[in-house]
PDB file of all heavy atoms in Angstrom:
ATOM      1  N   LEU A   1     115.732 111.108  92.752  1.00  0.00           N
ATOM      2  CA  LEU A   1     115.530 110.434  91.463  1.00  0.00           C
ATOM      3  C   LEU A   1     114.043 110.298  91.156  1.00  0.00           C
ATOM      4  O   LEU A   1     113.608 110.526  90.020  1.00  0.00           O
ATOM      5  CB  LEU A   1     116.195 109.064  91.492  1.00  0.00           C
ATOM      6  CG  LEU A   1     116.217 108.272  90.181  1.00  0.00           C
ATOM      7  CD1 LEU A   1     117.029 108.998  89.119  1.00  0.00           C
ATOM      8  CD2 LEU A   1     116.784 106.877  90.422  1.00  0.00           C
ATOM      9  N   LEU A   2     113.234 109.941  92.165  1.00  0.00           N
ATOM     10  CA  LEU A   2     111.788 109.853  91.963  1.00  0.00           C
ATOM     11  C   LEU A   2     111.226 111.203  91.526  1.00  0.00           C
ATOM     12  O   LEU A   2     110.411 111.279  90.600  1.00  0.00           O
ATOM     13  CB  LEU A   2     111.103 109.388  93.242  1.00  0.00           C
ATOM     14  CG  LEU A   2     111.332 107.930  93.669  1.00  0.00           C
ATOM     15  CD1 LEU A   2     110.649 107.670  95.012  1.00  0.00           C
ATOM     16  CD2 LEU A   2     110.815 106.963  92.616  1.00  0.00           C
ATOM     17  N   ARG A   3     111.629 112.261  92.204  1.00  0.00           N
ATOM     18  CA  ARG A   3     111.122 113.595  91.844  1.00  0.00           C
ATOM     19  C   ARG A   3     111.576 114.002  90.443  1.00  0.00           C
ATOM     20  O   ARG A   3     110.821 114.638  89.691  1.00  0.00           O
ATOM     21  CB  ARG A   3     111.587 114.624  92.877  1.00  0.00           C
ATOM     22  CG  ARG A   3     110.942 114.434  94.263  1.00  0.00           C
ATOM     23  CD  ARG A   3     111.391 115.525  95.228  1.00  0.00           C
ATOM     24  NE  ARG A   3     110.899 115.310  96.568  1.00  0.00           N
ATOM     25  CZ  ARG A   3     109.695 115.668  97.012  1.00  0.00           C
ATOM     26  NH1 ARG A   3     108.844 116.277  96.172  1.00  0.00           N
ATOM     27  NH2 ARG A   3     109.333 115.463  98.270  1.00  0.00           N
ATOM     28  N   ALA A   4     112.800 113.624  90.072  1.00  0.00           N
ATOM     29  CA  ALA A   4     113.287 113.957  88.730  1.00  0.00           C
ATOM     30  C   ALA A   4     112.485 113.217  87.663  1.00  0.00           C
ATOM     31  O   ALA A   4     112.214 113.771  86.587  1.00  0.00           O
ATOM     32  CB  ALA A   4     114.773 113.614  88.615  1.00  0.00           C
ATOM     33  N   CYS A   5     112.088 111.988  87.953  1.00  0.00           N
ATOM     34  CA  CYS A   5     111.234 111.256  87.016  1.00  0.00           C
ATOM     35  C   CYS A   5     109.905 111.977  86.814  1.00  0.00           C
ATOM     36  O   CYS A   5     109.291 111.890  85.744  1.00  0.00           O
ATOM     37  CB  CYS A   5     110.979 109.838  87.518  1.00  0.00           C
ATOM     38  SG  CYS A   5     112.391 108.720  87.349  1.00  0.00           S
ATOM     39  N   GLY A   6     109.461 112.681  87.839  1.00  0.00           N
ATOM     40  CA  GLY A   6     108.222 113.447  87.747  1.00  0.00           C
ATOM     41  C   GLY A   6     108.295 114.611  86.784  1.00  0.00           C
ATOM     42  O   GLY A   6     107.258 115.156  86.384  1.00  0.00           O
ATOM     43  N   GLN A   7     109.508 114.993  86.403  1.00  0.00           N
ATOM     44  CA  GLN A   7     109.689 116.119  85.483  1.00  0.00           C
ATOM     45  C   GLN A   7     109.772 115.672  84.026  1.00  0.00           C
ATOM     46  O   GLN A   7     109.879 116.516  83.132  1.00  0.00           O
ATOM     47  CB  GLN A   7     110.980 116.882  85.849  1.00  0.00           C
ATOM     48  CG  GLN A   7     111.006 117.420  87.266  1.00  0.00           C
ATOM     49  CD  GLN A   7     109.858 118.375  87.552  1.00  0.00           C
ATOM     50  OE1 GLN A   7     109.618 119.301  86.765  1.00  0.00           O
ATOM     51  NE2 GLN A   7     109.148 118.161  88.646  1.00  0.00           N
ATOM     52  N   ILE A   8     109.740 114.360  83.780  1.00  0.00           N
ATOM     53  CA  ILE A   8     109.894 113.859  82.410  1.00  0.00           C
ATOM     54  C   ILE A   8     108.530 113.842  81.721  1.00  0.00           C
ATOM     55  O   ILE A   8     107.644 113.074  82.074  1.00  0.00           O
ATOM     56  CB  ILE A   8     110.526 112.453  82.422  1.00  0.00           C
ATOM     57  CG1 ILE A   8     111.925 112.528  83.022  1.00  0.00           C
ATOM     58  CG2 ILE A   8     110.567 111.874  81.000  1.00  0.00           C
ATOM     59  CD1 ILE A   8     112.618 111.186  83.168  1.00  0.00           C
ATOM     60  N   GLU A   9     108.386 114.693  80.733  1.00  0.00           N
ATOM     61  CA  GLU A   9     107.117 114.813  80.029  1.00  0.00           C
ATOM     62  C   GLU A   9     106.811 113.538  79.251  1.00  0.00           C
ATOM     63  O   GLU A   9     107.672 112.983  78.571  1.00  0.00           O
ATOM     64  CB  GLU A   9     107.174 116.005  79.071  1.00  0.00           C
ATOM     65  CG  GLU A   9     105.841 116.325  78.411  1.00  0.00           C
ATOM     66  CD  GLU A   9     105.889 117.581  77.565  1.00  0.00           C
ATOM     67  OE1 GLU A   9     106.906 118.298  77.623  1.00  0.00           O
ATOM     68  OE2 GLU A   9     104.909 117.830  76.840  1.00  0.00           O
ATOM     69  N   GLY A  10     105.573 113.065  79.400  1.00  0.00           N
ATOM     70  CA  GLY A  10     105.159 111.858  78.704  1.00  0.00           C
ATOM     71  C   GLY A  10     105.291 110.589  79.529  1.00  0.00           C
ATOM     72  O   GLY A  10     104.774 109.540  79.137  1.00  0.00           O
ATOM     73  N   LEU A  11     105.977 110.671  80.661  1.00  0.00           N
ATOM     74  CA  LEU A  11     106.111 109.512  81.545  1.00  0.00           C
ATOM     75  C   LEU A  11     104.926 109.516  82.514  1.00  0.00           C
ATOM     76  O   LEU A  11     104.814 110.398  83.362  1.00  0.00           O
ATOM     77  CB  LEU A  11     107.430 109.575  82.317  1.00  0.00           C
ATOM     78  CG  LEU A  11     107.707 108.433  83.303  1.00  0.00           C
ATOM     79  CD1 LEU A  11     107.690 107.084  82.613  1.00  0.00           C
ATOM     80  CD2 LEU A  11     109.043 108.662  84.011  1.00  0.00           C
ATOM     81  N   GLU A  12     104.037 108.540  82.374  1.00  0.00           N
ATOM     82  CA  GLU A  12     102.780 108.566  83.123  1.00  0.00           C
ATOM     83  C   GLU A  12     102.818 107.793  84.432  1.00  0.00           C
ATOM     84  O   GLU A  12     102.099 108.126  85.369  1.00  0.00           O
ATOM     85  CB  GLU A  12     101.636 108.034  82.252  1.00  0.00           C
ATOM     86  CG  GLU A  12     101.398 108.867  81.001  1.00  0.00           C
ATOM     87  CD  GLU A  12     100.121 108.468  80.281  1.00  0.00           C
ATOM     88  OE1 GLU A  12      99.274 107.770  80.881  1.00  0.00           O
ATOM     89  OE2 GLU A  12      99.961 108.859  79.104  1.00  0.00           O
ATOM     90  N   ARG A  13     103.617 106.732  84.502  1.00  0.00           N
ATOM     91  CA  ARG A  13     103.627 105.889  85.698  1.00  0.00           C
ATOM     92  C   ARG A  13     105.059 105.491  86.059  1.00  0.00           C
ATOM     93  O   ARG A  13     105.789 104.980  85.218  1.00  0.00           O
ATOM     94  CB  ARG A  13     102.783 104.619  85.486  1.00  0.00           C
ATOM     95  CG  ARG A  13     101.306 104.908  85.256  1.00  0.00           C
ATOM     96  CD  ARG A  13     100.496 103.629  85.172  1.00  0.00           C
ATOM     97  NE  ARG A  13      99.071 103.918  85.042  1.00  0.00           N
ATOM     98  CZ  ARG A  13      98.100 103.014  85.111  1.00  0.00           C
ATOM     99  NH1 ARG A  13      98.411 101.739  85.316  1.00  0.00           N
ATOM    100  NH2 ARG A  13      96.836 103.361  84.995  1.00  0.00           N
ATOM    101  N   VAL A  14     105.407 105.725  87.302  1.00  0.00           N
ATOM    102  CA  VAL A  14     106.722 105.346  87.825  1.00  0.00           C
ATOM    103  C   VAL A  14     106.511 104.417  89.011  1.00  0.00           C
ATOM    104  O   VAL A  14     105.740 104.726  89.923  1.00  0.00           O
ATOM    105  CB  VAL A  14     107.543 106.574  88.264  1.00  0.00           C
ATOM    106  CG1 VAL A  14     108.895 106.140  88.834  1.00  0.00           C
ATOM    107  CG2 VAL A  14     107.736 107.531  87.102  1.00  0.00           C
ATOM    108  N   ARG A  15     107.177 103.268  88.988  1.00  0.00           N
ATOM    109  CA  ARG A  15     107.143 102.318  90.102  1.00  0.00           C
ATOM    110  C   ARG A  15     108.585 101.983  90.480  1.00  0.00           C
ATOM    111  O   ARG A  15     109.522 102.321  89.760  1.00  0.00           O
ATOM    112  CB  ARG A  15     106.395 101.035  89.713  1.00  0.00           C
ATOM    113  CG  ARG A  15     105.006 101.259  89.139  1.00  0.00           C
ATOM    114  CD  ARG A  15     104.282  99.933  88.895  1.00  0.00           C
ATOM    115  NE  ARG A  15     103.073 100.111  88.119  1.00  0.00           N
ATOM    116  CZ  ARG A  15     101.902 100.478  88.615  1.00  0.00           C
ATOM    117  NH1 ARG A  15     101.799 100.721  89.912  1.00  0.00           N
ATOM    118  NH2 ARG A  15     100.836 100.614  87.854  1.00  0.00           N
ATOM    119  N   PHE A  16     108.766 101.268  91.578  1.00  0.00           N
ATOM    120  CA  PHE A  16     110.105 100.802  91.937  1.00  0.00           C
ATOM    121  C   PHE A  16     109.988  99.528  92.760  1.00  0.00           C
ATOM    122  O   PHE A  16     109.002  99.299  93.456  1.00  0.00           O
ATOM    123  CB  PHE A  16     110.887 101.869  92.710  1.00  0.00           C
ATOM    124  CG  PHE A  16     110.229 102.358  93.972  1.00  0.00           C
ATOM    125  CD1 PHE A  16     110.457 101.723  95.199  1.00  0.00           C
ATOM    126  CD2 PHE A  16     109.393 103.465  93.949  1.00  0.00           C
ATOM    127  CE1 PHE A  16     109.858 102.186  96.362  1.00  0.00           C
ATOM    128  CE2 PHE A  16     108.793 103.930  95.109  1.00  0.00           C
ATOM    129  CZ  PHE A  16     109.020 103.286  96.319  1.00  0.00           C
ATOM    130  N   THR A  17     111.014  98.701  92.662  1.00  0.00           N
ATOM    131  CA  THR A  17     111.063  97.449  93.428  1.00  0.00           C
ATOM    132  C   THR A  17     112.503  96.964  93.476  1.00  0.00           C
ATOM    133  O   THR A  17     113.249  97.167  92.528  1.00  0.00           O
ATOM    134  CB  THR A  17     110.125  96.393  92.795  1.00  0.00           C
ATOM    135  OG1 THR A  17     109.892  95.358  93.711  1.00  0.00           O
ATOM    136  CG2 THR A  17     110.682  95.827  91.509  1.00  0.00           C
ATOM    137  N   SER A  18     112.920  96.350  94.609  1.00  0.00           N
ATOM    138  CA  SER A  18     112.198  96.246  95.872  1.00  0.00           C
ATOM    139  C   SER A  18     112.958  97.041  96.916  1.00  0.00           C
ATOM    140  O   SER A  18     114.185  96.955  96.946  1.00  0.00           O
ATOM    141  CB  SER A  18     112.128  94.797  96.336  1.00  0.00           C
ATOM    142  OG  SER A  18     111.287  94.020  95.544  1.00  0.00           O
ATOM    143  N   PRO A  19     112.262  97.747  97.771  1.00  0.00           N
ATOM    144  CA  PRO A  19     112.942  98.496  98.829  1.00  0.00           C
ATOM    145  C   PRO A  19     113.228  97.615 100.042  1.00  0.00           C
ATOM    146  O   PRO A  19     112.772  96.478 100.123  1.00  0.00           O
ATOM    147  CB  PRO A  19     111.932  99.588  99.177  1.00  0.00           C
ATOM    148  CG  PRO A  19     110.611  98.932  98.920  1.00  0.00           C
ATOM    149  CD  PRO A  19     110.820  98.003  97.750  1.00  0.00           C
ATOM    150  N   HIS A  20     113.972  98.149 100.989  1.00  0.00           N
ATOM    151  CA  HIS A  20     114.282  97.480 102.254  1.00  0.00           C
ATOM    152  C   HIS A  20     113.821  98.403 103.378  1.00  0.00           C
ATOM    153  O   HIS A  20     114.096  99.606 103.342  1.00  0.00           O
ATOM    154  CB  HIS A  20     115.788  97.226 102.359  1.00  0.00           C
ATOM    155  CG  HIS A  20     116.193  96.327 103.483  1.00  0.00           C
ATOM    156  ND1 HIS A  20     116.063  96.684 104.800  1.00  0.00           N
ATOM    157  CD2 HIS A  20     116.739  95.086 103.479  1.00  0.00           C
ATOM    158  CE1 HIS A  20     116.511  95.704 105.571  1.00  0.00           C
ATOM    159  NE2 HIS A  20     116.918  94.719 104.793  1.00  0.00           N
ATOM    160  N   PRO A  21     113.111  97.869 104.365  1.00  0.00           N
ATOM    161  CA  PRO A  21     112.615  98.736 105.445  1.00  0.00           C
ATOM    162  C   PRO A  21     113.707  99.544 106.134  1.00  0.00           C
ATOM    163  O   PRO A  21     113.460 100.676 106.567  1.00  0.00           O
ATOM    164  CB  PRO A  21     111.964  97.739 106.416  1.00  0.00           C
ATOM    165  CG  PRO A  21     111.549  96.594 105.552  1.00  0.00           C
ATOM    166  CD  PRO A  21     112.619  96.477 104.505  1.00  0.00           C
ATOM    167  N   ARG A  22     114.914  98.985 106.221  1.00  0.00           N
ATOM    168  CA  ARG A  22     116.001  99.707 106.893  1.00  0.00           C
ATOM    169  C   ARG A  22     116.278 101.048 106.235  1.00  0.00           C
ATOM    170  O   ARG A  22     116.569 102.044 106.903  1.00  0.00           O
ATOM    171  CB  ARG A  22     117.280  98.859 106.865  1.00  0.00           C
ATOM    172  CG  ARG A  22     118.470  99.506 107.565  1.00  0.00           C
ATOM    173  CD  ARG A  22     119.765  98.810 107.196  1.00  0.00           C
ATOM    174  NE  ARG A  22     120.062  98.987 105.775  1.00  0.00           N
ATOM    175  CZ  ARG A  22     121.022  98.329 105.133  1.00  0.00           C
ATOM    176  NH1 ARG A  22     121.724  97.415 105.765  1.00  0.00           N
ATOM    177  NH2 ARG A  22     121.234  98.540 103.847  1.00  0.00           N
ATOM    178  N   ASP A  23     116.213 101.084 104.910  1.00  0.00           N
ATOM    179  CA  ASP A  23     116.598 102.273 104.162  1.00  0.00           C
ATOM    180  C   ASP A  23     115.410 103.124 103.729  1.00  0.00           C
ATOM    181  O   ASP A  23     115.598 104.099 102.996  1.00  0.00           O
ATOM    182  CB  ASP A  23     117.394 101.857 102.921  1.00  0.00           C
ATOM    183  CG  ASP A  23     118.615 101.036 103.266  1.00  0.00           C
ATOM    184  OD1 ASP A  23     119.460 101.552 104.017  1.00  0.00           O
ATOM    185  OD2 ASP A  23     118.717  99.888 102.802  1.00  0.00           O
ATOM    186  N   PHE A  24     114.207 102.746 104.163  1.00  0.00           N
ATOM    187  CA  PHE A  24     113.020 103.460 103.683  1.00  0.00           C
ATOM    188  C   PHE A  24     112.778 104.685 104.559  1.00  0.00           C
ATOM    189  O   PHE A  24     112.334 104.585 105.694  1.00  0.00           O
ATOM    190  CB  PHE A  24     111.804 102.543 103.692  1.00  0.00           C
ATOM    191  CG  PHE A  24     110.731 102.986 102.752  1.00  0.00           C
ATOM    192  CD1 PHE A  24     110.834 102.729 101.393  1.00  0.00           C
ATOM    193  CD2 PHE A  24     109.629 103.680 103.204  1.00  0.00           C
ATOM    194  CE1 PHE A  24     109.861 103.152 100.507  1.00  0.00           C
ATOM    195  CE2 PHE A  24     108.645 104.112 102.331  1.00  0.00           C
ATOM    196  CZ  PHE A  24     108.764 103.844 100.973  1.00  0.00           C
TER     197      PHE A  24
END
């Protein structure tokens, strides 16, 4: 999903919250 967001033209900044260390 993160990589797919990288393909969206005009989208300059992508962030996410909150992760869990177990699944990172």
Side-chain angles (χ1 to χ4, degrees):
L1 186 63
L2 290 176
R3 292 183 185 276
C5 286
Q7 302 301 311
I8 297 176
E9 187 175 351
L11 179 58
E12 299 190 16
R13 296 185 176 189
V14 179
R15 307 185 191 277
F16 57 89
T17 196
S18 290
H20 191 293
R22 181 195 65 190
D23 303 301
F24 203 79

